């Protein structure tokens, strides 16, 4: 053992014995004093020593000491020890009150940082149960149950460790001229030992990398500050390796022990055990005038390079930490400005709203230098540190304004950065994230400087379960730099370069459900299409499950169109946007299809039939409800695209056997109800002023009521409108095409018939291996041979129609039946109404073969 280590061991042993000789309560008091003044490194040493033999301490004192010790470890980013102590004290189920309840929240955050998300949810739940004010835990529970939501876009970015890093903390880079200015705790051969009281790490100075070419910068993505041109694009390979394929990736239990940087021996990852990391790319101190013997932190430059705003703790004392109490001995962080004159920074002065009662730091400026965002724990905030803004008018800073509850939380928001389009990036430990500090993004109103959108987590790999902060990038996030302690945790902050390789936003989940609007039942395996609105080239198709649902992950921050077409139903196009959707909760989109049972009176005299147009509000739709074999016939009359029930409609229900007419006027719910004879056909008419007349046939129910016939009646009923279902029909079945009627002595397809034939087109498309026979019939009036020829021409006309719609002619055969198969008693010499004769002028199709896959 070396003499240096022997002396150190002797000193520690003597100090420990001396501590145990005292009353333990007094040691706790000293530890509490260090804890309250944010001297966490010293507090850890005192608590650990006293808790080994807590002689004379009460149970209450021991619990409080352990909670403070655990929070001290959390504050210095030693999550392994923080978990150990929290688990020890909370497993005994102590009764926590007041501020101590936050221990459950802190432990949940520690567990998340250690990747133990399910267990973290248990403590978030306990925290939620014990207090009413802070419900952010609900959001963390949702995210922890779906971590993949923030990880699915990880392949879109390449993360690289850069060679300017050292064994000390290196973070918060900003562009300056053609290089980077960043914060570092390296000693730079200084003979003065300078440490923070918080975690015993070195005090910070500003360092400068003169040229980004040295780290293979391919594109800075932002205007170079203090320079007239952007940093040039470099095609040279970077000097570092991709994160995840090198020793910079956080270790696992299978790895050898990773030692960290210098610091307190109780803090994991901070003790120097023969480890040093020296920069491979040389940098230098930024300015002799700016770098003092105390702390200089994150800075921002006016875009012409003439002025700098920087963070400093200007007085002797502790580490200048945010959140310090007024009576503490550590001084506050403050913002200063300086001007570049005579090759250095001069005229250093405080910004007026600094105070000895709170801290201000971490500045960033908008592209026009008119708004500064910064971090402060000044009164009027939401808790912890908040992000504030101030305007720069005529050389003066306005009164700071808090960015509000959209950005700020009860936790800590810090390290803001504003890009050239006015998008704000910041880090938070209380917005739901992957662990500890995560980087978030929100659009801003460039006129007011206030938030104008929703806070978004950038997700992996820009975020990790460690601290991620201090980002700079361009408005498209093509490339940039960020700070993180993901390498070894603790206070070992390093700077990483990132390059976007894929999509900017990733995707967000939506659950699509498609229902029958009348029955509210889901469709079984229905196909639909969707696309980014206005971009038909992005169109894709999908099929729902047997439960009528499907989960999609759609490109984030976009508007979409969903197109659903189903036989017998009105085509639906539904708009959907995920711009305000959650990143980790699935959105829900319900689509309801309305049945296609619209009959418009084409004989209305206001316009010739061939040129008449009908607006959606002029269309009456008579929808049916109930059992098709019931003696009660009921339904609802609706109008317009949204199928709103309509009152004041005269409904006629005409018995085709007896000529008896039942009438009623619909009420506010648009409903109607009639009695019917099952063995008779009926005509249902709907009439209202300024609306087109709706008329449809309600066929009789066959006496033979086999199961297959009942299903066929449902399928063929005008209220359903579908033509064919391979589950219900077999080869040899003859299916009547509803409403395919012809004018007397004509074979040309009427426009109302063409609409019905579109259903047959969809049926043929849905069943590409089905072969059918088109059968056409005439009424019994006139010469039988002429009628046979006419029916053949009608059948051929239907075949030609389907061919024009893309159906192969080889799949169809047209057959004219003439007047040989009337559907009623209207034979030769029988007096019948025009409606009865029209029923015989019909078209059917017979299924010749079906080849199911």
């Amino acid at each position: 053992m070396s003499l240096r280590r022997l002396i150190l061991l002797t000193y520690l042993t003597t100090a420990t014995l001396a501590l145990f000789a005292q009353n333990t309560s007094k040691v706790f008091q000293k530890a509490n004093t260090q804890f309250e003044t944010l001297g966490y490194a010293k507090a850890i040493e005192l608590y650990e020593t006293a808790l080994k033999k807590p002689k004379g301490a009460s149970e209450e004192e021991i619990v409080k000491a352990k909670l403070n010790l655990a929070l001290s470890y959390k504050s210095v980013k030693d999550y392994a020890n923080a978990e150990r102590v929290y688990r020890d004290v909370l497993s005994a189920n102590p009764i926590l009150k007041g501020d101590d309840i936050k221990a459950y929240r802190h432990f949940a955050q520690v567990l998340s940082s250690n990747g133990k998300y399910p267990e973290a949810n248990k403590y978030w739940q306990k925290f939620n149960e014990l207090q009413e004010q802070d419900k952010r835990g609900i959001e963390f529970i949702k995210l922890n149950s779906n971590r993949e939501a923030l990880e699915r876009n990880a392949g879109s970015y390449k993360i690289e460790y850069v060679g300017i890093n050292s064994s000390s903390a290196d973070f918060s880079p900003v562009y300056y001229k053609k290089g980077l200015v960043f914060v570092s705790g390296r000693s730079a051969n200084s003979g003065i030992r300078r440490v923070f009281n918080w975690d015993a790490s070195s005090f910070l100075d500003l360092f400068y990398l003169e040229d980004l070419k040295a780290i293979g910068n391919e594109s800075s993505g932002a205007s170079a500050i203090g320079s007239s041109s952007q940093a040039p694009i470099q095609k040279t390979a970077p000097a570092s390796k991709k994160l995840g394929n090198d020793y910079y990736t956080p270790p696992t239990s299978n790895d050898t022990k990773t030692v960290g940087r210098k610091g307190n021996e109780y803090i994991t990852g901070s003790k120097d055990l023969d480890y040093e990391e020296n920069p491979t790319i040389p940098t230098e101190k930024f300015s002799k005038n700016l770098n003092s013997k105390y702390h200089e932190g994150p800075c921002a430059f006016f875009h012409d390079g003439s002025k700098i705003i920087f963070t400093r703790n200007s007085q002797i004392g502790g580490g200048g930490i945010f959140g310090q109490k007024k009576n503490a001995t550590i001084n506050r962080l403050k913002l200063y400005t300086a001007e570049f004159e005579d090759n250095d920074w001069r005229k250093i002065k405080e910004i007026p709203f600094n105070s000895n009662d709170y801290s201000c730091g971490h500045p960033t400026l908008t592209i026009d230098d008119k708004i500064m965002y910064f971090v402060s724990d000044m009164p009027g905030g939401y808790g912890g540190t908040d992000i504030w803004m101030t305007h720069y008018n005529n050389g003066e800073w306005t009164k700071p304004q808090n960015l509000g509850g959209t950005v700020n939380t009860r936790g800590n928001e810090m390290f803001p950065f504003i890009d050239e389009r006015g998008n704000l990036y910041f880090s938070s430990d209380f917005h739901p994230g992957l662990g500890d500090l995560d980087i978030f993004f929100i659009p801003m109103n460039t006129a007011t400087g206030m938030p104008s959108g929703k806070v978004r987590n950038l997700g992996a790999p820009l975020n990790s379960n460690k601290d991620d902060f201090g980002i700079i990038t361009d408005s498209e996030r093509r490339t940039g730099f960020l700070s993180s302690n993901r390498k070894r945790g603790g206070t070992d902050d390093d700077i990483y370069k990132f390059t976007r390789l894929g999509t900017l936003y990733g995707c967000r989940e939506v659950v699509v459900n498609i229902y029958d609007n009348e029955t509210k039942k889901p469709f079984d395996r229905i196909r639909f299409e969707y696309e980014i609105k206005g971009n038909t080239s992005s169109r894709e198709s999908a099929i729902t499950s047997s439960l009528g649902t499907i989960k999609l992950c759609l490109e984030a921050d976009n508007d979409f169109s969903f197109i659903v077409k189903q036989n017998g139903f009105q085509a639906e196009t539904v708009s959907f946007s995920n711009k305000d959707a959650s990143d980790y909760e699935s959105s829900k989109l319900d689509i309801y299809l309305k049945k296609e049972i619209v009959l418009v009176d084409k004989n209305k005299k206001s316009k010739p039939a061939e040129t008449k147009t009908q607006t959606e509000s002029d269309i009456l739709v008579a929808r049916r409800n109930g059992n098709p074999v019931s003696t009660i016939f009921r339904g609802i009359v609706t109008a317009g695209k949204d199928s709103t029930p309509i009152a004041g409609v005269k409904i006629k229900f005409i018995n085709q056997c007896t000529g008896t007419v039942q009438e009623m006027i619909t009420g506010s719910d648009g409903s109607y109800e009639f009695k019917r004879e099952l063995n008779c056909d009926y005509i249902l008419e709907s009439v209202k002023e300024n609306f087109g007349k709706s008329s449809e046939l309600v066929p009789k129910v066959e006496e033979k009521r086999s199961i297959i016939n009942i299903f066929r009646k449902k399928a063929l009923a005008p209220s359903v409108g579908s033509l064919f279902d391979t589950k219900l029909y077999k080869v040899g079945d003859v299916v009547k095409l509803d409403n395919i009627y012809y004018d007397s002595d004509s074979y040309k397809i009427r426009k109302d018939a063409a609409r019905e034939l579109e259903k047959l087109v969809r049926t043929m498309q849905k069943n590409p291996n089905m072969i059918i026979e088109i059968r056409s019939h005439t009424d019994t009036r006139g010469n039988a041979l002429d009628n046979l020829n006419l029916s053949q021409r009608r059948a051929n006309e239907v075949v030609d129609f389907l061919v024009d719609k893309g159906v192969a002619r080889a799949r169809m055969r047209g057959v004219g039946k003439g007047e040989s198969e009337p559907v009623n008693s209207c034979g030769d010499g029988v007096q019948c109404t025009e409606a009865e004769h029209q029923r015989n002028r019909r078209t059917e199709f017979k299924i010749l073969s079906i080849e199911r896959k």
Side-chain angles (χ1 to χ4, degrees):
M1 184 181 297
S2 68
L3 179 61
R4 181 175 62 86
R5 292 189 180 179
L6 181 61
I7 293 173
L8 177 62
L9 179 61
T10 302
Y11 168 76
L12 290 175
T13 303
T14 304
T16 301
L17 292 173
L19 282 170
F20 284 134
Q22 301 178 50
N23 184 288
T24 306
S25 295
K26 292 182 179 180
V27 181
F28 280 156
Q29 291 174 7
K30 291 182 179 180
N32 292 340
T33 299
Q34 292 294 329
F35 176 82
E36 290 171 359
T37 57
L38 309 185
Y40 296 124
K42 186 63 176 178
I44 288 171
E45 181 180 348
L46 291 170
Y47 282 130
E48 287 282 14
T49 303
L51 285 169
K52 289 178 181 178
K53 293 183 179 180
K55 181 180 178 181
S58 66
E59 187 64 30
E60 184 179 354
E61 283 182 307
I62 293 173
V63 170
K64 186 66 175 178
K66 288 182 177 180
L67 292 177
N68 288 351
L69 174 61
L71 185 55
S72 296
Y73 275 126
K74 178 180 183 295
S75 298
V76 298
K77 313 299 182 184
D78 183 353
Y79 298 120
N81 274 319
E83 179 182 341
R84 170 181 61 82
V85 180
Y86 273 126
R87 195 176 297 282
D88 174 49
V89 64
L90 296 181
S91 63
N93 297 313
I95 299 175
L96 302 184
K97 299 179 181 179
D99 279 352
D100 288 346
I101 293 174
K102 293 179 181 179
Y104 293 114
R105 187 188 82 190
H106 294 150
F107 190 27
Q109 291 173 322
V110 166
L111 289 169
S112 292
S113 294
N114 290 341
K116 300 179 180 180
Y117 304 117
E119 188 179 5
N121 278 356
K122 296 179 182 179
Y123 286 93
W124 274 121
Q125 188 63 42
K126 287 187 177 181
F127 177 66
N128 291 341
E129 292 170 357
L130 292 174
Q131 52 79 50
E132 295 294 330
Q133 297 77 25
D134 187 350
K135 292 301 181 184
R136 190 60 60 100
I138 296 173
E139 299 300 310
F140 276 90
I141 291 173
K142 292 176 182 177
L143 174 58
N144 286 340
S145 301
N146 183 24
R147 308 296 296 185
E148 191 268 338
L150 294 185
E151 297 169 353
R152 61 169 64 102
N153 199 37
S156 285
Y157 292 90
K158 178 175 69 173
I159 308 292
E160 298 171 283
Y161 183 88
V162 297
I164 62 175
N165 293 306
S166 67
S167 300
S168 300
D170 302 286
F171 61 95
S172 289
V174 292
Y175 294 114
Y176 178 69
K177 295 186 177 180
K178 294 182 179 181
L180 288 177
V181 173
F182 62 99
V183 182
S184 180
R186 67 191 72 183
S187 62
N189 298 320
S190 172
I192 303 175
R193 172 66 174 165
R194 302 175 298 156
V195 296
F196 278 127
N197 199 32
W198 184 330
D199 57 10
S201 61
S202 300
F203 259 46
L204 305 173
D205 286 325
L206 296 175
F207 280 73
Y208 182 38
L209 171 67
E210 188 172 0
D211 196 339
L212 284 171
K213 292 180 182 180
I215 54 176
N217 185 69
E218 295 179 354
S219 173
S220 73
S223 299
I225 297 172
S227 176
S228 60
S229 62
Q230 187 172 324
I233 296 175
Q234 299 297 315
K235 298 299 183 183
T236 57
S240 53
K241 297 180 180 179
K242 183 178 179 181
L243 189 69
N245 298 323
D246 53 36
Y247 72 93
Y248 297 120
T249 303
T252 69
S253 57
N254 295 320
D255 297 322
T256 57
K257 184 177 180 181
T258 302
V259 293
R261 50 191 285 287
K262 296 177 181 179
N264 186 293
E265 65 172 312
Y266 285 95
I267 302 173
T268 299
S270 70
K271 188 178 179 182
D272 181 19
L273 297 176
D274 301 323
Y275 177 83
E276 287 291 338
E277 182 174 13
N278 296 313
T280 59
I281 299 173
T283 59
E284 60 186 18
K285 280 198 171 184
F286 181 56
S287 167
K288 293 181 179 179
N289 288 342
L290 292 184
N291 286 321
S292 66
K293 61 181 180 179
Y294 302 113
H295 167 89
E296 279 74 38
C299 64
F301 293 90
F302 279 67
H303 285 77
D304 62 359
S306 64
K307 294 181 181 180
I308 185 175
I309 305 172
F310 64 97
T311 310
R312 171 185 280 180
N313 179 309
S314 62
Q315 299 179 26
I316 298 175
I321 304 302
F322 288 115
Q324 176 189 331
K325 296 181 179 179
K326 290 184 179 181
N327 60 354
T329 58
I330 304 174
N331 294 293
R332 302 291 179 173
L333 299 183
K334 297 182 179 181
L335 289 170
Y336 293 79
T337 62
E339 299 180 19
F340 191 74
E341 293 181 356
D342 300 329
N343 294 320
D344 208 341
W345 296 94
R346 309 179 190 281
K347 296 182 179 179
I348 298 174
K349 62 179 180 180
E350 282 193 38
I351 287 182
F353 51 75
N354 284 328
S355 171
N356 292 329
D357 294 330
Y358 52 81
S359 291
C360 296
H362 303 182
T364 183
L365 288 165
T366 56
I367 190 69
D368 58 4
D369 301 324
K370 291 183 178 180
I371 298 176
M372 177 176 68
Y373 297 93
F374 66 98
V375 176
S376 179
D377 57 351
M378 69 175 66
Y382 286 75
T385 59
D386 284 2
I387 298 178
W388 299 70
M389 61 160 287
T390 176
H391 291 267
Y392 191 59
N393 294 331
N394 299 320
E396 299 292 333
W397 298 102
T398 62
K399 181 180 179 181
Q401 181 179 356
N402 192 287
L403 290 193
T406 302
V407 170
N408 294 314
T409 68
R410 293 176 181 269
N412 297 295
E413 282 68 48
M414 54 185 69
F415 298 101
F417 167 73
I418 194 85
D419 69 20
E420 63 264 35
R421 286 191 185 172
N423 300 309
L424 181 68
Y425 294 81
F426 64 95
S427 289
S428 173
D429 62 3
F430 213 60
H431 284 285
L434 294 172
D436 213 57
L437 285 177
D438 269 20
I439 304 173
F440 295 84
F441 163 92
I442 186 171
M444 304 292 283
N445 184 316
T446 55
T448 64
M450 296 298 288
S452 63
K454 188 173 183 177
V455 170
R456 299 289 185 189
N457 188 305
L458 294 189
L462 299 181
N463 285 320
S464 67
N465 65 341
K466 303 299 182 185
D467 276 330
D468 304 288
F469 60 100
I471 190 173
I472 55 172
T473 185
D474 58 276
S475 60
E476 296 296 325
R477 215 178 299 143
R478 294 187 300 266
T479 187
F481 296 87
L482 59 85
S483 311
S484 178
N485 67 343
R486 63 185 66 184
K487 183 172 61 175
R488 284 190 300 272
T491 54
D492 184 35
D493 302 317
D494 292 303
I495 296 172
Y496 295 86
K497 177 189 173 185
F498 68 87
T499 306
R500 181 162 64 85
L501 306 175
T503 59
L504 179 61
Y505 295 109
C507 63
R508 295 184 187 129
E509 291 181 346
V510 57
V511 176
V512 181
N513 305 292
I514 303 180
Y515 300 99
D516 183 322
N517 186 60
E518 184 174 323
T519 66
K520 310 305 180 188
K521 293 182 178 179
F523 283 93
D524 180 359
R525 301 187 185 281
I526 186 171
R527 181 183 294 274
F528 62 94
E529 296 178 318
Y530 59 96
E531 62 186 34
I532 296 175
K533 188 169 287 187
N535 182 8
T536 56
S537 64
S538 68
R539 180 170 293 193
E540 297 186 36
S541 63
I543 300 176
T544 63
S545 69
S546 58
L547 300 177
T549 186
I550 187 173
K551 181 183 286 187
L552 303 173
C553 201
L554 305 179
E555 185 176 330
D557 281 356
N558 267 305
D559 297 317
F560 297 86
S561 295
F562 284 77
I563 306 99
V564 188
K565 296 179 181 179
Q566 174 74 348
N567 291 341
F569 290 81
Q570 301 174 28
E572 285 287 343
T573 299
V574 179
S575 296
F576 172 78
S577 176
N578 64 9
K579 290 182 177 179
D580 293 323
S582 170
D583 286 312
Y584 45 87
E585 284 188 285
S586 297
S587 300
K588 185 179 179 183
L589 175 62
D590 293 336
I591 301 175
Y592 291 88
L593 301 186
K594 304 175 183 69
K595 291 178 178 174
E596 194 176 53
I597 52 172
V598 179
L599 288 177
V600 181
D601 186 3
K602 298 296 183 178
N603 297 318
K604 194 173 181 179
K605 301 301 182 181
S606 59
K607 278 188 179 181
E610 62 271 16
T611 60
K612 183 180 184 300
T613 60
Q614 191 96 39
T615 63
E616 289 176 349
S617 61
D618 292 334
I619 298 175
L620 287 176
V621 182
R623 296 166 47 196
R624 305 181 187 186
N625 299 321
N627 189 337
V629 298
S630 172
T631 58
I632 302 298
F633 187 84
R634 57 172 64 94
I636 298 174
V637 181
T638 61
K641 186 175 181 180
D642 58 355
S643 297
T644 304
I646 186 169
V649 180
K650 180 185 287 187
I651 305 291
K652 290 185 178 182
F653 197 51
I654 307 168
N655 188 318
Q656 296 299 288
C657 296
T658 63
T660 303
V661 179
Q662 301 178 64
E663 291 188 6
M664 69 168 292
I665 305 296
T666 61
S668 59
D669 62 354
S671 65
Y672 61 85
E673 180 176 309
F674 299 107
K675 292 183 178 180
R676 66 179 294 195
E677 297 178 29
L678 296 179
N679 60 346
C680 289
D681 296 328
Y682 285 80
I683 296 294
L684 181 68
E685 292 183 353
S686 306
V687 181
K688 183 177 174 64
E689 187 178 359
N690 297 325
F691 285 81
K693 180 181 178 181
S694 173
S695 178
E696 63 174 292
L697 174 69
V698 181
K700 63 184 177 182
V701 178
E702 299 176 8
E703 292 183 1
K704 184 179 180 181
R705 298 182 188 172
S706 64
I707 295 297
I708 188 67
N709 283 333
I710 291 174
F711 282 144
R712 287 173 61 186
K713 284 292 181 181
K714 290 182 179 180
L716 293 174
S719 62
V720 177
S722 63
L723 300 174
F724 178 77
D725 188 328
T726 56
K727 295 180 180 179
L728 302 180
Y729 288 86
K730 61 184 183 299
V731 173
D733 281 344
V734 176
V735 182
K736 177 177 172 291
L737 293 173
D738 293 319
N739 305 319
I740 304 297
Y741 300 121
Y742 303 84
D743 293 328
S744 181
D745 294 327
S746 174
Y747 65 91
K748 292 296 183 182
I749 296 174
R750 297 190 335 199
K751 288 186 177 181
D752 55 344
R755 185 166 58 248
E756 188 68 18
L757 285 176
E758 291 286 351
K759 299 178 184 179
L760 179 56
V761 172
R762 293 194 292 271
T763 297
M764 297 295 285
Q765 292 171 341
K766 182 179 178 182
N767 302 274
N769 298 304
M770 184 175 72
I771 298 175
I772 63 173
E773 181 183 86
I774 304 293
R775 297 179 168 193
S776 184
H777 303 264
T778 68
D779 60 38
T780 58
R781 293 176 295 185
N783 182 275
L785 182 59
D786 291 341
N787 285 338
L788 181 62
N789 292 333
L790 177 62
S791 67
Q792 186 63 53
R793 289 194 295 271
R794 287 175 174 174
N796 293 342
E797 186 77 356
V798 173
V799 171
D800 291 340
F801 180 92
L802 268 67
V803 170
D804 290 341
K805 297 296 183 178
V807 181
R809 189 179 295 274
R811 298 175 58 199
M812 299 173 288
R813 182 173 67 189
V815 176
K817 292 290 186 177
E819 62 179 58
S820 62
E821 297 179 5
V823 296
N824 51 32
S825 58
C826 294
D828 289 341
V830 178
Q831 295 295 319
C832 292
T833 64
E834 180 58 28
E836 290 172 320
H837 283 303
Q838 183 169 272
R839 287 184 59 204
N840 289 323
R841 300 193 299 270
R842 71 196 187 278
T843 296
E844 305 163 334
F845 70 90
K846 179 180 181 179
I847 303 168
L848 301 180
S849 69
I850 305 172
E851 183 179 338
R852 294 184 174 88
K853 294 183 177 181

